[in-house]
Amino acid sequence: MDIILATTIIASLFLVIGAAEPFAARVRLPYSVILAILGILIGTGATFFLRTELTDALNPVAEAILNLPIRSNAFLYVFLPTLLFQATLGMNLRRMLDDWVPILVLAVVAVVVATVSVGYALSWASTLPLAACLLIGAIVSTTDPSAVVSIFRSISAPRRLARIIEGESLLNDAAAIALFGLFMGFVMLGIPDPGLGDALARFPILIAGGALTGWLAARAAIWLMALFARHELAQLSISVALPYLAYIVAEQSVGASGVIAVVVAGLTLNLTAPGRLPPQSWTNLRELWDVLAHWAGALIFILAALLIPSLLEEVRLEDFLLVGVVIGAAIVARTAILFGLMPILTALKLSPNVERPYRVAILWGGLRGAVTLALALAVTESVRVPDGIQRVVGILATGFTLFTLLVQGTTLRWVIGRLGLDRLSPLDEALSRQVVAVALQTVREDVARTTENYELNRDTVRSEAKRFGERLDLAVTKAEESADILDRDRIALGLIALAGHERDTILARVRERTISARMAEVVLSDADNLIEGARTQGRSGYQRAARRSVAYSRAFRASVILHGRFGVSGPLARMTADRFEQLLSQRLILRDLGTFIDGRIRRIHGRRVAELLHDLLTRRIETLETALEGLRLQYPGYAEELERRFIRRTALRMEEREYVAMREDGLIGSEVHTALMQDLATRRVAAERRPRLDVAVRRAAFVAQFPLFADLDDGAIKRLARSLSTRYVDSGEVILRKESAAKRVFFIATGAVELESAGQTWRLGRGEMFGQMAILTHKARRADVRAIAPTTLLVLDEDRFRRLLQRSQALRKAVRISAEKRGVDPAGLVPEE
């Protein structure tokens, strides 16, 4: 093909892509549906002009369009890795991990159920071998979520629901293509009826090999990118190479799933790169992949649609019946997942409750698109697949895709409207009226000041003020009509707004580089949890999410076990440092939220709601300060280093702002500005480097701070530090129960606990101990012990405690005081001095 003509056609397709998006928004149809329709029209038009006798003038163009080098390998090796890799980079993985059970179950189980349902239905309704029927089932089992997700976002559907759909779609692409490769092998080998168990037994091997390949490729890429820290274009180039090399190595060298390799490589880069790359480089990398994926997604749709007329050339009457069988089986399979499996997951508390209208919308929004057509094209191109099977696979996959795009896609928004998902709830409607009234009052004040400053014509100002006043009076009247919102609902809405402002503040701090990109992912995830908690469960959901944001994670507990039992301190040091930085970042954000409550929230929801939100915010700050103070006491030098790092980064940000202002004011030229910014970048690299935390070295210094161990010499303190183990407990967690065996004594390093026995309660704080009474009296424990704040405990076994009691006068004195508080004679517990 002539290179000039081919370039002209591709450039013209980009013009079509550019015009399709605004046209789709205007006609209110999914973007993918418009692209598919345009591709079909272009392909049909080219076929018509090539075959018609009306004119030959357009024959070269029509022939060039139909002869574009569109092969299945171009879709699978060029476009598909781009789409999958960008999808993983755009995910909030920490939020996805919260819902990994429903995402994984829905993705894998949905693909298997759809493949089996369509395969066996076709096997019953046709004469095709079972392997070919299961191959068709795998091809049509992958869904394109873009339509339903975009519409869900436009109607403000719950973020968690949209996130589950996106995660499911990403993984079901991988699972479906892996199954496709499996059954394609059976068809090419001529195995008509493979055992389903044997087929599925090979499935984990494909996934494991692809996952390992993707992880290794990503780790190598991150290492290279970190080496080129000052060369952003080099980093971007490496990121572009990563998904393609991972895909090719997995497919051609390892014999595993290239799709899984790309997904794992993207997930690894998403989790690791923010902490290894400069924040601006990471932002630019994601923006680059957004553009590449937009082009790839549009091209794969329009190029695949160009092939539809040729794929349907040999359609027969009986093929329509088989297409109907595929449609029916696929819808039944998806219905079973959405209305059978999802309620079970919800009942088991593994998945959020998805209301019936949303499930109907997801069912009808299960569109198929370019991936389905690309897989069908791969079958039709294979010379090892019998001609009869090639024809049926191409027709059934194309017919089913057209049904989902032209029937489901064009009616999806209408279905959502019939379900009532496009309308605000009465509560949101009432809130919107109040927001409009408050906003217009603020605008009126600002406009009045502006007109005074510019000395505008008084008659014009008076006329416009009258019009604006009429609109304001109408808005106030409507707001007063809906003033009967319950306080409970106002509180929930206020908390949602507060968490949303917290999220916006985090993003602003990241742009200013006050918060690192690594910590931004964590605190943004916490803010999203707050929003969803307040939206679903009101005040209690918000408070639960707030407690989780400062709680010790399972990974942190596992790192404590590794350190305590096996002496592996690396993970604990890294996670402790992360926790330090996370708490400092949260404190920085929470300090700024009070002004927002006194401003917007008080004006919209009233004084009572504002005061309650202030109270909740104060409690969050107190809990945060308790957790931070505990770490500061445990690692005083490290806390100081982190605070110094924060001050340096803030100073660098202010210095950069001054240089930019001087450049804009013409005080310095571009050469001076460039030199200053290069010097600033060098110092910023040093400031971004986090200080190292050595948890092993600091244990002895921490123990020496305890008043109970004040009379021990240095040697005894070092030996005691080696004997003590650390236990971290969250607020509300039960540490000891009544009647449990007395084997250990606990010293409170940070936090506080509450002892409850016989209707009485005692509270103990830092520097105090508990558990010693049961050991010394040789009786079962008489009290439940519960943490009332995030608490760090040092634990000592019974034998070492008794030996320590003999050596430490301060410890014996503390035991006697504790016994007297509980009404126990101390004389029989410890000897007199």
Side-chain angles (χ1 to χ4, degrees), residues 748-806:
I748 303 175
T750 62
V753 302
E754 187 175 73
L755 286 72
E756 182 179 350
S757 176
Q760 293 184 313
T761 60
W762 298 272
R763 290 190 172 183
L764 305 177
R766 180 177 180 270
E768 297 185 276
M769 63 179 167
F770 60 91
Q772 76 280 2
M773 299 303 298
I775 287 178
L776 296 175
T777 59
H778 303 284
K779 295 180 180 179
R781 301 188 189 278
R782 300 169 54 188
D784 286 331
V785 184
R786 185 187 309 271
I788 57 175
T791 302
T792 303
L793 301 171
L794 298 180
V795 187
L796 193 64
D797 63 52
E798 179 180 354
D799 292 339
R800 290 189 174 92
F801 172 71
R802 290 185 180 277
R803 292 199 297 269
L804 181 64
L805 191 63
Q806 294 175 357

Side-chain angles (χ1 to χ4, degrees), residues 415-429:
V415 170
I416 286 177
R418 296 290 295 176
L419 293 171
L421 296 177
D422 59 344
R423 294 190 295 272
L424 289 176
S425 66
L427 179 62
D428 287 337
E429 183 69 33

Side-chain angles (χ1 to χ4, degrees), residues 253-267:
S253 301
V254 180
S257 170
V259 174
I260 297 293
V262 172
V263 169
V264 172
L267 295 177

Side-chain angles (χ1 to χ4, degrees), residues 102-276:
I103 290 173
L104 193 61
V105 171
L106 286 174
V108 177
V109 175
V111 167
V112 174
V113 170
T115 299
V116 172
S117 299
V118 173
Y120 278 92
L122 276 177
S123 178
W124 172 77
S126 70
T127 59
L128 290 171
L130 179 60
C133 295
L134 291 173
L135 177 64
I136 295 171
I139 289 174
V140 302
S141 64
T142 177
T143 59
D144 173 24
S146 59
V148 68
V149 168
S150 62
I151 294 177
F152 272 15
R153 287 173 176 170
S154 69
I155 62 175
S156 300
R159 292 184 184 180
R160 192 176 186 188
L161 179 59
R163 189 168 60 243
I164 289 174
I165 296 169
E166 288 179 293
E168 177 209 352
S169 172
L170 176 66
L171 295 181
N172 78 16
D173 275 353
I177 294 172
L179 280 177
F180 165 80
L182 199 62
F183 293 121
M184 185 72 169
F186 288 129
V187 171
M188 291 190 298
L189 291 174
I191 303 175
D193 299 308
L196 191 59
D198 295 337
L200 294 179
R202 294 178 55 191
F203 191 55
I205 299 175
L206 294 174
I207 293 178
L212 181 61
T213 303
W215 182 78
L216 291 174
R219 296 298 299 181
I222 292 168
W223 178 75
L224 280 175
M225 294 164 77
L227 285 181
F228 305 147
R230 298 186 182 182
H231 304 279
E232 185 177 318
L233 293 179
Q235 294 173 335
L236 297 179
S237 301
I238 293 170
S239 76
V240 171
L242 172 59
Y244 303 107
L245 292 178
Y247 189 96
I248 292 170
V249 170
E251 288 280 340
Q252 302 298 323
S253 301
V254 180
S257 170
V259 174
I260 297 293
V262 172
V263 169
V264 172
L267 295 177
T268 304
L269 190 68
N270 192 340
L271 282 173
T272 311
R276 303 289 301 275

Side-chain angles (χ1 to χ4, degrees), residues 659-660 662-677:
Y659 293 155
V660 171
M662 291 179 184
R663 176 72 179 90
E664 292 175 350
D665 292 340
L667 298 177
I668 58 176
S670 58
E671 295 84 359
V672 175
H673 178 262
T674 300
L676 291 173
M677 295 303 290

Side-chain angles (χ1 to χ4, degrees), residues 563-773:
H563 174 65
R565 296 185 180 179
F566 305 105
V568 180
S569 60
L572 178 59
R574 184 174 63 254
M575 291 185 184
T576 303
D578 286 344
R579 181 171 172 80
F580 248 127
E581 191 168 1
Q582 176 189 350
L583 295 176
L584 284 172
S585 301
Q586 286 182 337
R587 186 179 67 173
L588 177 68
I589 298 301
L590 294 184
R591 297 290 187 185
D592 296 337
L593 299 183
T595 304
F596 181 74
I597 295 175
D598 291 331
R600 296 285 179 123
I601 290 181
R602 182 182 292 271
R603 298 187 68 178
I604 294 175
H605 297 290
R607 180 178 57 83
R608 289 179 56 191
V609 173
E611 290 177 351
L612 179 63
L613 263 59
H614 264 301
D615 182 54
L616 291 175
L617 180 61
T618 300
R619 293 181 190 176
R620 278 190 68 192
I621 293 175
E622 289 174 353
T623 303
L624 180 67
E625 291 290 358
T626 299
L628 192 56
E629 182 64 19
L631 286 175
R632 185 179 285 110
L633 289 170
Q634 193 168 359
Y635 307 108
Y638 187 75
E640 181 182 343
E641 287 298 318
L642 282 181
E643 289 173 350
R644 288 181 183 277
R645 175 174 175 252
F646 169 75
I647 294 171
R648 291 167 187 158
R649 289 165 60 187
T650 303
L652 287 171
R653 175 177 56 83
M654 294 178 177
E655 185 178 351
E656 179 182 16
R657 187 174 58 196
E658 289 298 315
Y659 293 155
V660 171
M662 291 179 184
R663 176 72 179 90
E664 292 175 350
D665 292 340
L667 298 177
I668 58 176
S670 58
E671 295 84 359
V672 175
H673 178 262
T674 300
L676 291 173
M677 295 303 290
Q678 288 176 347
D679 176 66
L680 192 69
T682 302
R683 286 183 285 130
R684 175 167 280 142
V685 170
E688 290 288 341
R689 194 175 298 118
R690 191 165 62 183
R692 183 175 177 270
L693 172 64
D694 189 344
V695 294
V697 171
R698 298 180 184 271
R699 175 71 66 80
F702 180 43
V703 171
Q705 297 175 8
F706 266 71
L708 295 177
F709 310 134
D711 55 349
L712 297 178
D713 57 37
D714 292 342
I717 286 178
K718 290 180 180 179
R719 289 192 297 271
L720 177 60
R722 288 194 295 269
S723 302
L724 289 165
S725 61
T726 308
R727 180 177 173 184
Y728 298 89
V729 292
D730 291 330
S731 178
E733 183 176 339
V734 176
I735 304 169
L736 296 174
R737 295 189 182 277
K738 290 180 182 177
E739 308 303 328
S740 61
K743 297 180 179 179
R744 294 178 295 276
V745 178
F746 299 83
F747 300 91
I748 303 175
T750 62
V753 302
E754 187 175 73
L755 286 72
E756 182 179 350
S757 176
Q760 293 184 313
T761 60
W762 298 272
R763 290 190 172 183
L764 305 177
R766 180 177 180 270
E768 297 185 276
M769 63 179 167
F770 60 91
Q772 76 280 2
M773 299 303 298

